[in-house]
């Protein structure tokens, strides 16, 4: 197998927005050959001034970037190697753990055991309250980091793959369920580094596409587009399925929609629909359980609404409700919210309030911050009707003790 090199630095470089070694070298003020040496299997220890530049550009310390501290240098330690990922401390910083410890090596069976818990968390995501599931997922990630230091070969790669999925799930909870984009960005970087340890391009692509949501939702189109280019590059390396390619189109479409480019977004969605219809010979990975034809239609309905195509958006979103299985409670909340927004834009406040209340009903079953964002957006659109009884009734539902405290805390 071809050596993977210093995947920690490679992943941190890509996550920081430097998709080529040349671009990274120019930002650091060094030659590209120097970057190649740092991304090799045995990276040399950089000079102090370059250490400062590296940590400044990537936001990580030298150990987390895959460098071995030489004896007698900055820290009193023996020579150590560090894994690509590590548990996050209670504060805002990310800590590291040694990649080799004094603990005995684990048996090969540890990889399948660890991955089975990862799969269980994947299923629990759809029904368990995010505030309860997130700590369990983070603790599982901490365990995975420890296991990396006690495994080798294929066993280590299997653990690293499951760890990448675990970090990805944690990042999705932080971004979509808890609306903590800064935490999500740091967590997704760890997921990308774990994917690099596993040399798994497809899960690396999925992580990169999720990182595009962060600038995309903030209206930063250029940054989102750069991350999508990287995601598509990794998808080509990983022989992505038609469903995976369609999802990448859908992610980019949502970013374009939030940046005000609904025409481009609708073109991407049409391309995704054609891709799904054509199919492919490559299978969709089992961990990609967040996308389907119905979810693509939900993306479409949201974009149609924001493009002002209200009759089409209404028809699309109602069709999505008919297609969604019962377990898709979180997605159902979003669809109800978008239908409420369509009716508000169409001058039907009573119907808008009805859909908003249905969304609140669903949120009482399974909390989803993205769904609550939709409802708050609808309520702002209903400001001209705030003295109508149905809007007052919505306010009674929307501003209970728990939701009011949550809104003020954000």
């Amino acid at each position: 197998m071809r050596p993977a090199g210093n995947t920690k630095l490679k992943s941190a470089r890509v996550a920081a927005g430097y998709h080529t070694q040349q671009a990274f070298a120019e930002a650091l003020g060094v030659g590209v050959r120097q970057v190649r040496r740092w991304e090799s299997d045995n990276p040399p220890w950089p000079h102090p001034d370059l250490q400062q530049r590296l940590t400044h550009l990537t936001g990580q310390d030298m150990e987390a970037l895959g460098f071995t501290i030489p004896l007698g240098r900055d820290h009193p330690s023996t020579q150590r190697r560090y894994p690509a990922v590590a548990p996050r401390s209670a504060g805002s910083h990310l800590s590291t753990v040694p990649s080799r410890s004094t603990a005995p090596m684990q048996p090969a069976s540890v990889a399948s055991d660890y991955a089975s818990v990862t799969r269980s968390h994947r299923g629990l995501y759809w029904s368990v309250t995010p505030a309860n599931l997130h700590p369990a997922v983070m603790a599982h990630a901490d365990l995975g980091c420890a296991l990396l230091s006690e495994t080798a070969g294929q066993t280590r790669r299997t653990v690293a793959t499951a760890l990448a999925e675990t970090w990805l799930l944690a990042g999705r909870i932080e971004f979509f369920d808890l609306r903590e984009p800064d935490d999500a960005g740091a967590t997704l970087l760890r997921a990308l580094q774990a994917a690099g340890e596993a040399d798994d391009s497809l899960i690396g692509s999925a992580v990169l596409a999720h990182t595009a949501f962060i600038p995309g939702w903030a209206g930063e189109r250029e940054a989102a587009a750069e991350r999508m280019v990287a995601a598509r590059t990794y998808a080509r390396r990983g022989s992505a399925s038609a469903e995976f390619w369609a999802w990448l189109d859908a992610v980019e479409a949502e970013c374009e929609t939030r940046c005000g480019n609904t025409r481009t977004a609708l073109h991407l969605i049409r391309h995704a629909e054609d891709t799904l219809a054509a199919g492919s010979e490559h299978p969709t990975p089992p961990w990609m359980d967040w996308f389907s034809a119905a979810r693509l239609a939900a993306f479409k309905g949201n974009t149609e609404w924001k493009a002002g195509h209200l009759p089409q958006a209404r028809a699309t979103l109602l069709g999505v409700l008919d297609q969604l299985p019962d377990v898709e409670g979180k997605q159902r909340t979003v669809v109800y919210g978008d239908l409420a927004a369509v009716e508000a834009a169409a001058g039907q406040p009573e119907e808008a309030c009805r859909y908003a209340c249905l969304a609140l009903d669903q949120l009482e079953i399974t909390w989803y911050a993205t769904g609550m964002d939709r409802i708050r957006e609808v309520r702002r659109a209903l400001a001209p009707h705030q003295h109508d009884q149905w809007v007052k009734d919505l306010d009674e539902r929307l501003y209970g003790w728990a939701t009011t405290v949550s809104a003020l805390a954000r």
Side-chain angles (χ1 to χ4, degrees):
M1 179 179 292
R2 180 182 176 183
N6 185 359
T7 58
K8 306 161 199 169
L9 181 58
K10 292 178 186 177
S11 299
R13 166 172 62 78
V14 172
Y18 301 99
H19 302 297
T20 66
Q21 292 178 333
Q22 182 65 49
F24 196 47
E26 291 173 358
L28 289 165
V30 300
V32 70
R33 291 182 62 189
Q34 180 64 68
V35 175
R36 291 195 191 105
R37 285 194 290 270
W38 286 336
E39 294 190 357
S40 68
D41 285 329
N42 297 294
W45 186 248
H47 293 294
D49 59 331
L50 292 177
Q51 293 177 38
Q52 185 175 6
R53 291 181 220 169
L54 281 164
T55 56
H56 174 73
L57 289 179
T58 63
Q60 297 198 63
D61 61 34
M62 296 302 294
E63 297 166 334
L65 292 174
F67 291 94
T68 301
I69 304 173
L71 286 171
R73 287 296 181 91
D74 302 310
H75 301 284
S77 63
T78 57
Q79 287 192 348
R80 297 177 294 176
R81 294 294 296 171
Y82 287 78
V85 287
R88 188 167 56 181
S89 64
S92 60
H93 298 289
L94 294 167
S95 60
T96 54
V97 295
S99 64
R100 290 291 177 263
S101 70
T102 57
M105 296 296 287
Q106 295 289 339
S109 60
V110 75
S112 59
D113 292 339
Y114 183 78
S116 68
V117 178
T118 299
R119 289 192 297 272
S120 296
H121 285 158
R122 184 199 310 160
L124 290 170
Y125 171 75
W126 302 108
S127 60
V128 175
T129 301
N132 291 335
L133 181 60
H134 185 258
V137 174
M138 295 298 288
H140 189 55
D142 289 351
L143 174 60
C145 293
L147 291 178
L148 282 183
S149 68
E150 300 172 8
T151 52
Q154 183 57 50
T155 301
R156 190 173 197 270
R157 286 192 293 274
T158 301
V159 170
T161 299
L163 180 56
E165 183 187 337
T166 295
W167 281 119
L168 175 56
L169 177 58
R172 289 175 58 214
I173 294 172
E174 289 164 352
F175 186 77
F176 294 111
D177 298 71
L178 303 177
R179 297 302 297 126
E180 297 172 350
D182 291 341
D183 286 348
T187 299
L188 290 171
L189 172 57
R190 292 308 193 196
L192 184 62
Q193 291 177 310
E197 281 287 325
D199 196 22
D200 191 322
S201 296
L202 206 54
I203 198 167
S205 174
V207 172
L208 284 163
H210 276 86
T211 68
F213 280 123
I214 299 173
W217 283 36
E220 300 169 3
R221 182 176 183 271
E222 184 176 351
E226 287 179 354
R227 296 181 185 197
M228 288 308 304
V229 169
R232 292 181 185 279
T233 301
Y234 277 68
R236 286 194 295 271
R237 295 173 188 164
S239 301
S241 67
E243 189 175 31
F244 195 95
W245 283 114
W247 173 68
L248 291 181
D249 283 338
V251 173
E252 190 166 0
E254 175 152 356
C255 292
E256 292 286 358
T257 297
R258 288 182 175 266
C259 292
N261 303 312
T262 53
R263 184 174 180 179
T264 301
L266 288 170
H267 174 76
L268 284 162
I269 290 171
R270 284 193 293 271
H271 185 265
E273 290 172 334
D274 292 341
T275 300
L276 277 182
S280 74
E281 61 182 14
H282 302 297
T284 298
W287 44 258
M288 188 186 157
D289 60 348
W290 59 73
F291 187 71
S292 63
R295 284 175 171 267
L296 177 59
F299 278 104
K300 183 178 182 178
N302 177 266
T303 300
E304 288 174 332
W305 155 55
K306 292 187 176 179
H309 305 162
L310 301 185
Q312 296 94 322
R314 183 185 294 111
T316 299
L317 293 168
L318 288 172
V320 173
L321 287 179
D322 291 337
Q323 297 176 56
L324 285 178
D326 293 339
V327 295
E328 295 273 7
K330 294 180 179 182
Q331 187 63 39
R332 193 174 297 276
T333 300
V334 170
V335 175
Y336 281 140
D338 283 348
L339 277 166
V342 169
E343 299 304 340
Q348 302 293 328
E350 184 174 6
E351 192 69 355
C353 290
R354 184 176 74 85
Y355 281 121
C357 287
L358 287 173
L360 288 171
D361 290 341
Q362 187 63 55
L363 283 174
E364 290 180 358
I365 300 172
T366 305
W367 174 256
Y368 193 44
T370 300
M372 179 56 80
D373 286 346
R374 294 288 215 272
I375 300 170
R376 292 194 178 107
E377 187 174 356
V378 169
R379 179 58 184 87
R380 287 190 288 269
L382 291 171
H385 306 279
Q386 61 186 9
H387 298 298
D388 294 341
Q389 186 59 48
W390 44 79
V391 179
K392 291 180 180 179
D393 292 342
L394 173 62
D395 287 345
E396 287 297 320
R397 293 285 310 278
L398 185 58
Y399 296 111
W401 284 109
T403 53
T404 303
V405 171
S406 175
L408 291 176
R410 292 182 56 192

